Amino acid sequence: MKTWPVRSKLKIFALLLILLAVLLPATASAASDPANTVMVIPIDGEITPAMAAFLEDKIDEANDSGMLGIIIDIKTFGGRVDAAVEMRDAILSSEVPVVVYIQSRAISAGALISIAADTIAMAPGSHLGAAKPNPSDSKTVAYVSGEFRTTAERTGRDPQIAAAMVDESLAIEGLVGEGEILDMTAEEASQVGYADLLVNSRNDLLTKLGWQNAVLVEDEPDFRLRIAQFLTSTEVAALLLAIGTLAFVVEFFTEGFGGAGIVGIVFFVLYFSGGFIAGYTNLWSIVIFIAGAVLIVVELIVPGFGVFGIAGALAMMVGIVLAAPSLSQGILYLLIAIVVAVVAVPLFIKFFGHSRFVRRLVLEQAETSEAGYVNLPESKKNLLGQLGVAYTDLRPAGAVRIDGRRIDVIAAGEFIDQGTPVKVIHVEGAKVIVEPVDE
């Protein structure tokens, strides 16, 4: 096997150092010139609050650095309207020119984000629109349609076309009929002034923008943000809350603290973590939820007639709602948790009996003599025939004193004055009957 002499190795190492010395300054020089740098922001997948936070951070970074431009490389079927509105606002407020590049599709919430850009570039075969909201009641349609119209007006595009992406009652001749939702191909969007550029590739886009010599800076969402993206999707967040609630219900019906409680804690931590990483869940909403959980634990340990438990449950509900990206979303998540509890609790009561919490409020075992419980009056049979003195007037009930003890009695047949000697003539349970004694 051939070995390299030490001098040859040193020469190769020195050559590498020289190459690095030549290349690194040039690279650093290009990268250190923000005016010749374009930020590329990929938006791929569901539009969520985590994705909105990522976009806002990158737009702020580009603006703070004074970059040449921003390209949003978008591919989405849509997602949450509230997250899309936040992203739209961030794009509209950017002082750095924003270009949306649609390689395949920008549907629903993605259409709103695209309309907000200064320039829309579309590749052949791509399409834009189909933003009918769900639910599609008149109030929701009016709200979303308003967001689309105002966004189009801000960027100098036809607001009626934007509204037709949302409202199927609108018809635009030659483009969409009544009862249909507008979804435009690249060619159609170009004809009505929505696609400013038709491009075949990113290089083609850069050339037509005059940015072909610019340095591209592209940051993919990091691992932490990808986790938040997953956890804050509507279906996953609802599922986390449902499983966490079910696990806590199971824990309340089992003795001690076990696996169900751990599972519940893990899933609630995941629910709150997604929102916290995404930036819309404040720390105090988590504190409120934890305080509620602590109150429920206190209820299980210290008798509180349900006060601690009820206060804890209310606090946990408030924490769940406040941790959501919006009030309506929080109420939806809370309703899901309540439905899960309402369905699960009767089933567990049927198969396992009452929970530990309910057992603190309800007496479940009858205190019978068979079970060893005794609820009998003190026996007074030994008083039969004994003599005493009326301690009070007996009219007919009163008290007598027998051997220094005060005994409640009833006079037989006639009233007896205080101080009169008496004799016990009958005892029945707790009832003692006396009569006067002739001295």
Side-chain angles (χ1 to χ4, degrees):
M1 181 177 178
K2 182 180 179 179
T3 58
W4 291 86
V6 175
R7 291 183 63 182
S8 298
K9 292 180 180 179
L10 291 175
K11 288 179 180 179
I12 293 172
F13 182 68
L15 181 60
L16 290 175
L17 288 179
I18 294 172
L19 288 173
L20 288 174
V22 172
L23 293 176
L24 284 178
T27 304
S29 174
S32 64
D33 182 11
N36 191 42
T37 303
V38 173
M39 171 79 75
V40 179
I41 308 174
I43 302 295
D44 189 355
E46 182 183 357
I47 303 300
T48 65
M51 186 63 74
F54 171 69
L55 179 71
E56 289 179 88
D57 288 343
K58 292 305 173 184
I59 289 179
D60 288 342
E61 180 183 334
N63 279 267
D64 292 341
S65 302
M67 291 186 179
L68 175 63
I70 298 170
I71 296 177
I72 299 177
D73 194 336
I74 190 168
K75 180 172 60 178
T76 179
F77 285 104
R80 300 245 300 249
V81 174
D82 54 351
V85 169
E86 291 182 15
M87 298 167 82
R88 184 275 314 268
D89 292 343
I91 293 170
L92 290 176
S93 62
S94 175
E95 296 180 0
V96 174
V98 178
V99 178
V100 163
Y101 176 35
I102 305 173
Q103 294 191 59
S104 56
R105 65 190 67 88
I107 304 300
S108 192
L112 179 63
I113 297 168
S114 301
I115 295 172
D118 300 296
T119 303
I120 298 177
M122 299 181 69
S126 63
H127 57 116
L128 165 71
K132 182 179 179 180
N134 184 21
S136 57
D137 57 280
S138 57
K139 183 177 180 180
T140 305
V141 170
Y143 163 71
V144 178
S145 175
E147 294 291 345
F148 270 71
R149 290 197 312 272
T150 55
T151 304
E153 290 175 355
R154 288 279 300 272
T155 54
R157 297 183 173 94
D158 188 339
Q160 281 297 103
I161 292 177
M165 297 180 186
V166 179
D167 190 349
E168 61 187 1
S169 67
L170 297 177
I172 300 176
E173 186 176 355
L175 196 59
V176 64
E178 186 175 350
E180 299 175 352
I181 291 294
L182 177 59
D183 184 27
M184 297 183 291
T185 65
E187 189 62 37
E188 289 171 336
S190 177
Q191 291 173 1
V192 296
Y194 263 66
D196 302 289
L197 297 173
L198 297 180
V199 296
N200 296 312
S201 65
R202 183 184 291 181
N203 288 335
D204 187 17
L205 171 62
L206 292 171
T207 299
K208 290 184 177 180
L209 291 170
W211 296 348
Q212 63 271 22
N213 296 321
V215 176
L216 299 185
V217 176
E218 182 171 1
D219 289 332
E220 293 282 346
D222 58 19
F223 180 69
R224 188 175 66 102
L225 189 63
R226 289 183 184 276
I227 292 176
Q229 170 82 349
F230 174 74
L231 295 178
T232 56
S233 62
T234 303
E235 294 80 6
V236 172
L239 185 63
L240 291 174
L241 200 56
I243 295 177
T245 301
L246 182 60
F248 275 2
V249 170
V250 173
E251 182 63 32
F252 286 145
F253 279 87
T254 55
E255 296 299 331
F257 184 81
I262 296 173
V263 170
I265 291 173
V266 168
F267 275 79
F268 274 106
V269 167
L270 291 174
Y271 169 76
F272 284 97
S273 297
F276 189 75
I277 296 173
Y280 63 78
T281 295
N282 294 315
L283 185 61
W284 50 270
S285 64
I286 302 176
V287 171
I288 291 174
F289 180 86
I290 294 175
V294 170
L295 287 174
I296 289 181
V297 172
V298 170
E299 178 63 43
L300 294 174
I301 299 174
V302 181
F305 303 102
V307 174
F308 293 120
I310 294 172
L314 290 175
M316 291 177 72
M317 291 179 185
V318 171
I320 289 171
V321 172
L322 294 180
S326 65
L327 179 62
S328 60
Q329 201 74 27
I331 293 174
L332 173 62
Y333 291 157
L334 180 60
L335 288 176
I336 291 173
I338 291 174
V339 168
V340 170
V342 168
V343 172
V345 169
L347 292 176
F348 277 90
I349 289 177
K350 180 179 179 180
F351 291 104
F352 301 103
H354 290 300
S355 68
R356 287 178 287 164
F357 177 72
V358 174
R359 288 198 294 269
R360 298 185 65 85
L361 306 178
V362 178
L363 181 64
E364 295 184 301
Q365 183 177 0
E367 297 180 347
T368 63
S369 57
E370 290 80 2
Y373 293 95
V374 178
N375 187 21
L376 301 176
E378 180 185 358
S379 177
K380 296 182 179 180
K381 290 290 186 181
N382 62 329
L383 296 176
L384 186 63
Q386 293 195 29
L387 300 176
V389 177
Y391 187 71
T392 65
D393 292 334
L394 307 182
R395 303 194 181 279
V400 300
R401 187 172 290 278
I402 299 176
D403 292 337
R405 295 169 57 201
R406 174 175 170 152
I407 308 295
D408 293 326
V409 299
I410 299 175
E414 60 184 70
F415 292 163
I416 300 175
D417 294 330
Q418 181 182 11
T420 302
V422 296
K423 179 182 179 180
V424 178
I425 61 173
H426 183 71
V427 176
E428 183 179 347
K431 187 187 296 183
V432 179
I433 300 175
V434 298
E435 65 179 8
V437 177
D438 294 333
E439 297 183 4

